[in-house]
């Protein structure tokens, strides 16, 4: 059982300089290039608490990638139209081609948590949706699609601080009713998140939980975790390849 309470704070080892972040982003670009050349697709799931900085973390991942080889999808949590289609229909429509990457900023996991938190689905429907999700991830994983699932955790004190900052700066319009409901009922949503994360943590698509109380540290942790995963899949040393390319350019 995943316990978000036990998510460790990141040490100062993860606080990288701008130059180090740039080097990590260059390595990620080389891994994207190798994925495209070998026809391996990737689905990156970016989930976490409201005000957890998911958008900024996504920007850190994608700012140096080739925009022709990835797409970002951030659907609304629920619309009346969704109720007339299977649970995953809107996510099926944007699957990546072989060699490309897809970033889900808010995914089917976030939608399930929202529906549970708002009492819009019962436990039986949750379990049916979960089975469909895991079956789909398993099917795609057997066909050159790799899943990378990240959850960014905030402690309640830090979330309160960020909500208060939004109000002070007159940016409360950025907060949806769901964001405010999370803040108001933090223990309830932590329990829902822990259940969903535990139920969907598998060998082929495990979750990486990252403490996002300090966004700068979280950015470095995210890049390092992702690079390690991609290098293992692609059998590639992106650091060595980056240095080799830099030496060749310098030699010119």
């Amino acid at each position: 059982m995943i316990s978000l309470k036990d998510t460790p704070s990141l040490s100062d080892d993860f606080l990288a300089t701008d130059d180090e972040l740039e080097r990590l982003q260059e390595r990620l670009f080389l891994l994207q290039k190798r994925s495209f050349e070998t026809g391996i697709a990737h689905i990156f799931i970016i989930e976490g608490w409201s005000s957890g900085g998911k958008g900024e973390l996504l920007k850190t991942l994608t700012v140096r990638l080739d925009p022709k080889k990835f797409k970002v999808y951030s659907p609304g949590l629920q619309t009346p139209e969704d109720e007339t289609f299977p649970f995953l229909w809107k996510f099926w429509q944007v699957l990546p081609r072989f060699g490309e990457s897809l970033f889900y900023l808010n995914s089917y996991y976030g939608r399930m948590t929202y529906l549970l938190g708002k009492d819009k689905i019962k436990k039986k429907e949750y379990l049916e949706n979960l089975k469909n999700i895991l079956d789909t991830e398993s099917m795609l994983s057997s066909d050159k699609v790799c899943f990378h699932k990240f959850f960014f955790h905030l402690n309640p004190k830090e979330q309160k601080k960020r909500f208060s900052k939004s109000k002070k700066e007159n940016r409360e319009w950025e907060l949806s009713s769901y964001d405010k409901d999370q803040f108001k009922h933090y223990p309830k949503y932590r329990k829902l998140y822990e259940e969903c994360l535990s139920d969907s943590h598998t060998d082929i698509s495990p979750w990486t939980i990252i403490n996002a109380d300090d966004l700068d540290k979280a950015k470095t942790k995210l890049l390092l975790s992702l690079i390690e995963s991609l290098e293992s899949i692609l059998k590639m040393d992106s650091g060595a390849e980056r240095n080799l390319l830099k030496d060749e350019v310098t030699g010119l």
Side-chain angles (χ1 to χ4, degrees):
M1 179 72 178
I2 290 175
S3 172
L4 293 176
K5 280 185 176 181
D6 298 331
T7 304
S9 298
L10 295 175
S11 69
D12 289 339
D13 293 340
F14 289 105
L15 188 58
T17 63
D18 289 342
D19 287 342
E20 177 61 18
L21 276 178
E22 185 174 315
R23 284 191 288 271
L24 292 173
Q25 289 165 336
E26 288 172 352
R27 290 172 61 183
L28 190 60
F29 167 79
L30 293 175
L31 289 162
Q32 179 201 33
K33 183 173 180 291
R34 179 65 60 84
S35 294
F36 186 78
E37 292 168 348
T38 55
I40 296 177
H42 300 278
I43 294 178
F44 304 95
I45 292 178
I46 311 296
E47 282 291 354
W49 289 93
S50 298
S51 297
K54 297 189 293 290
E56 189 171 340
L57 290 161
L58 175 67
K59 181 180 178 182
T60 298
L61 282 182
T62 60
V63 67
R64 296 184 68 83
L65 297 183
D66 183 343
K68 299 187 295 296
K69 297 183 178 68
F70 79 87
K71 53 189 172 182
V72 175
Y73 186 55
S74 182
L77 290 171
Q78 177 78 333
T79 66
E81 186 182 23
D82 294 331
E83 298 175 8
T84 64
F85 288 93
F87 179 73
L88 289 172
W89 80 277
K90 63 170 56 175
F91 300 98
W92 292 334
Q93 297 176 69
V94 293
L95 291 175
R97 293 180 292 182
F98 290 136
E100 295 183 344
S101 296
L102 168 64
F103 294 86
Y104 281 133
L105 183 59
N106 299 321
S107 69
Y108 32 81
Y109 293 111
R111 185 180 172 201
M112 271 209 303
T113 305
Y114 164 79
L115 294 173
L116 285 169
K118 291 292 190 177
D119 296 319
K120 293 179 179 290
I121 58 171
K122 302 298 183 183
K123 183 72 172 182
K124 179 182 178 182
E125 190 174 352
Y126 161 78
L127 292 174
E128 289 173 350
N129 291 339
L130 179 67
K131 182 179 185 304
N132 289 335
I133 287 171
L134 296 181
D135 286 347
T136 298
E137 290 184 353
S138 177
M139 176 187 68
L140 292 174
S141 295
S142 66
D143 197 12
K144 298 174 69 176
V145 180
C146 301
F147 282 84
H148 310 269
K149 303 193 298 196
F150 293 92
F151 184 89
F152 297 96
H153 179 56
L154 278 182
N155 70 54
K157 189 176 294 185
E158 179 61 27
Q159 189 186 53
K160 181 179 180 180
K161 178 181 174 183
R162 295 185 189 181
F163 268 59
S164 298
K165 183 179 180 182
S166 293
K167 290 182 179 181
K168 185 177 180 180
E169 296 177 352
N170 295 318
R171 293 186 293 105
E172 196 172 1
W173 56 270
E174 296 177 340
L175 305 174
S176 68
S177 60
Y178 179 53
D179 295 332
K180 295 174 182 177
D181 197 48
Q182 273 197 15
F183 173 65
K184 186 177 180 181
H185 302 288
Y186 184 94
K188 169 188 173 182
Y189 280 97
R190 181 171 61 201
K191 182 178 179 181
L192 290 174
Y193 276 135
E194 289 174 341
E195 180 180 8
C196 186
L197 293 171
S198 298
D199 289 343
S200 57
H201 183 78
T202 67
D203 290 339
I204 60 171
S205 59
W207 283 99
T208 298
I209 314 297
I210 296 179
N211 188 312
D213 291 343
D214 186 319
L215 270 181
D216 289 331
K217 293 179 181 179
K219 290 175 184 179
T220 307
K221 172 66 174 177
L222 173 59
L223 283 166
L224 288 171
S225 298
L226 194 49
I227 287 170
E228 180 181 4
S229 176
L230 291 172
E231 287 188 334
S232 176
I233 292 167
L234 299 169
K235 311 301 181 188
M236 173 183 175
D237 185 339
S238 62
E241 184 157 332
R242 175 193 173 275
N243 292 338
L244 180 61
L245 290 171
K246 289 289 184 181
D247 289 343
E248 290 178 354
V249 171
T250 303
L252 294 176

